[in-house]
Amino acid sequence: MYSPAGVKTDPSHPIPDTMKAWVLGEPGELTLKDKPVPVPKKAEVLVRIDAVAICATDLEIIYNGPPASILGGMPFNKNFTPGHEYMGTVVALGPGVDEYRIGQRVTVEIHAGCGQCRRCREGMYTSCHNYGLNYGDVDKGHRANGFTTDGGFCEYQVNNINTLVAISDDMSDEEATLVVTAGTAMYGLTELGGLVAGESVVVTGPGPIGLLGVAVAKALGAQPVILTGTRDNRLKIGLELGADHVVNIRKEPDVVAAVKRLNGGKGVDYVLECSAAPSAVNEAVHMVNRGGKVCLAAFAHGDVPVEVAHIVRNNIYLYGIRGEGKSATHRAEAFMAQKRFDATKIHTHTFALEDLPTAIRYAKDRVEDAIKVVVKARGVPQVQKEAAE
Ligand SMILES: [Zn+2]
Ligand SMILES: [Zn+2]
């Protein structure tokens, strides 16, 4: 039985020595294997993973590699387990941990900074200067589960206490996996200034972060909130999450003019760019008014052309954000706990952990209009199990 030295366990939550874990081989190749259950160190706990959502970034990692960095390079054939948007139950406490108790339900942030570099000291732990320095003899204490350390497509994972967010029993497992997605949108709005009440916001791209970006902006009092995208079914969910207006750019090719028309003829105060479309950044800097701010929350796929002179002439601010920094996930969870928006509107499918390849196909090919697809090690509804076969 699992009983590492210095680690507190409890008979109410017995832990096996080994677990099922999906391991990345060649690009796109995942195999279910047995791995030892990992051991929490100082300031870490062991989380039994109850549910994990698939993110577009997981697909990038599984098929292309970056932004994962394992042993200082590509993540393939390194016994690496991807997956980062998970929640679960604390089942073991590392030495000295008294901030959480065994049996407590938690959801997780992705990044645990090293805690000692300049950026971590400023609270910018997603921009840790020791990013990825956690292999072999190098252990700076940095973790980014599913990016630089083993992630959540398995049964158990260790997490630094600073990456945990306690959740109440009336939040479902599936909803809890979405807290970090809302947290990423919250971080973007935090970097834009945070006080967006009464100010105008455009969100470009109705993916999970964009849709929850609409919800968070609205919960923060932004007015109007305008969502742009290409799929009517997703724009409709944006309206349900609080968007005042939506623009389908297939029907309105001049999206900048459409946004200004909806905002009383003026540019907006903020744009949260979540689409990664090649034209999106240049459109965003033309959507904001003079002195406006643009937050880039999507990983672009290559160089994109931008009219820099327009940015300079109009004193426009551009912010890149990485992940869910500055404890934004806690603020997002507070909104969700207060039912300020229903994040579950973007959850569309649940599969068993063993059916991860099917779940990934649903997410990647948007089968049945899939948005957020969740896998669970236990408690999967029978109907979804059958659908996977
Ligand atoms: Zn993600
Ligand atoms: Zn650091």
Side-chain angles (χ1 to χ4, degrees):
M1 223 35 205
Y2 180 94
S3 59
V7 173
K8 191 182 282 182
T9 57
D10 190 284
S12 64
H13 292 81
I15 304 163
D17 286 317
T18 62
M19 63 172 181
K20 295 274 178 236
W22 287 95
V23 169
L24 182 60
E26 297 293 326
E29 180 196 82
L30 286 164
T31 312
L32 194 57
K33 291 191 176 165
D34 284 323
K35 273 191 179 182
V37 171
V39 175
K41 293 190 265 191
K42 188 171 173 285
E44 291 177 340
V45 304
L46 184 70
V47 175
R48 183 191 75 200
I49 298 169
D50 296 329
V52 50
I54 297 169
C55 173
T57 311
D58 291 318
L59 305 177
E60 279 295 316
I61 289 167
I62 290 165
Y63 288 92
N64 301 311
S69 171
I70 298 298
L71 305 173
M74 293 292 256
F76 306 115
N77 298 311
K78 289 176 176 169
N79 202 36
F80 165 63
T81 297
H84 59 272
E85 297 183 356
Y86 59 90
M87 60 72 61
T89 306
V90 174
V91 292
L93 309 176
V97 172
D98 59 6
E99 293 83 353
Y100 289 86
R101 58 178 170 74
I102 290 172
Q104 194 165 5
R105 292 174 78 235
V106 292
T107 189
V108 305
E109 297 187 29
I110 300 148
H111 298 80
C114 72
Q116 62 196 35
C117 77
R118 189 173 141 200
R119 291 291 176 246
C120 281
R121 299 267 294 159
E122 290 172 344
M124 291 181 67
Y125 49 86
T126 64
S127 309
C128 175
H129 285 182
N130 289 315
Y131 186 90
L133 296 181
N134 42 19
Y135 54 87
D137 293 339
V138 184
D139 184 0
K140 289 286 188 183
H142 173 271
R143 294 184 71 90
N145 287 355
F147 289 83
T148 69
T149 44
D150 269 349
F153 293 142
C154 59
E155 294 181 280
Y156 294 89
Q157 199 49 269
V158 294
N159 272 82
N160 187 289
I161 54 167
N162 291 328
T163 66
L164 301 178
V165 183
I167 51 168
S168 70
D169 284 342
D170 64 2
M171 185 181 283
S172 70
D173 292 354
E174 286 81 353
E175 183 174 10
T177 66
L178 302 170
V179 170
V180 73
T181 310
T184 303
M186 177 68 87
Y187 182 40
L189 290 159
T190 300
E191 291 303 89
L192 289 176
L195 291 169
V196 297
E199 300 190 290
S200 45
V201 175
V202 167
V203 178
T204 53
I209 293 173
L211 286 169
L212 294 188
V214 165
V216 172
K218 203 64 201 173
L220 289 167
Q223 172 79 25
V225 176
I226 302 168
L227 174 66
T228 70
T230 58
R231 290 164 176 259
D232 281 331
N233 64 316
R234 291 193 175 202
L235 294 173
K236 182 170 162 288
I237 295 170
L239 289 169
E240 292 169 10
L241 285 168
D244 297 290
H245 310 282
V246 293
V247 178
N248 185 325
I249 60 178
R250 293 228 167 97
K251 296 170 192 161
E252 301 254 18
D254 189 347
V255 64
V256 175
V259 160
K260 286 185 177 171
R261 193 168 63 245
L262 291 168
N263 192 46
K266 298 195 196 83
V268 296
D269 298 308
Y270 306 99
V271 174
L272 187 60
E273 204 302 280
C274 303
S275 75
S279 59
V281 181
N282 202 43
E283 286 165 357
V285 301
H286 286 86
M287 280 177 194
V288 288
N289 53 41
R290 300 195 79 203
K293 298 180 177 180
V294 175
C295 177
L296 307 176
F299 290 105
H301 292 284
D303 294 350
V304 294
V306 180
E307 192 191 346
V308 174
H310 177 82
I311 297 173
V312 176
R313 274 198 303 269
N314 294 289
N315 207 127
I316 289 163
Y317 299 87
L318 280 182
Y319 296 78
I321 61 154
R322 177 65 195 271
E324 68 304 335
K326 293 191 179 165
S327 300
T329 302
H330 289 261
R331 295 193 288 287
E333 191 277 336
F335 272 155
M336 289 167 68
Q338 293 170 72
K339 314 268 184 234
R340 296 289 293 277
F341 54 84
D342 181 6
T344 63
K345 286 182 183 296
I346 71 168
H347 165 244
T348 54
H349 297 78
T350 301
F351 293 102
L353 178 64
E354 309 90 76
D355 295 324
L356 180 66
T358 305
I360 285 176
R361 184 169 61 79
Y362 268 63
K364 180 164 141 305
D365 300 337
R366 298 177 183 174
V367 178
E368 297 167 2
D369 287 332
I371 304 178
K372 266 298 184 200
V373 180
V374 170
V375 296
K376 298 184 80 169
R378 56 190 72 73
V380 177
Q382 193 59 37
V383 55
Q384 293 273 11
K385 265 188 184 160
E386 281 159 11
E389 284 159 10

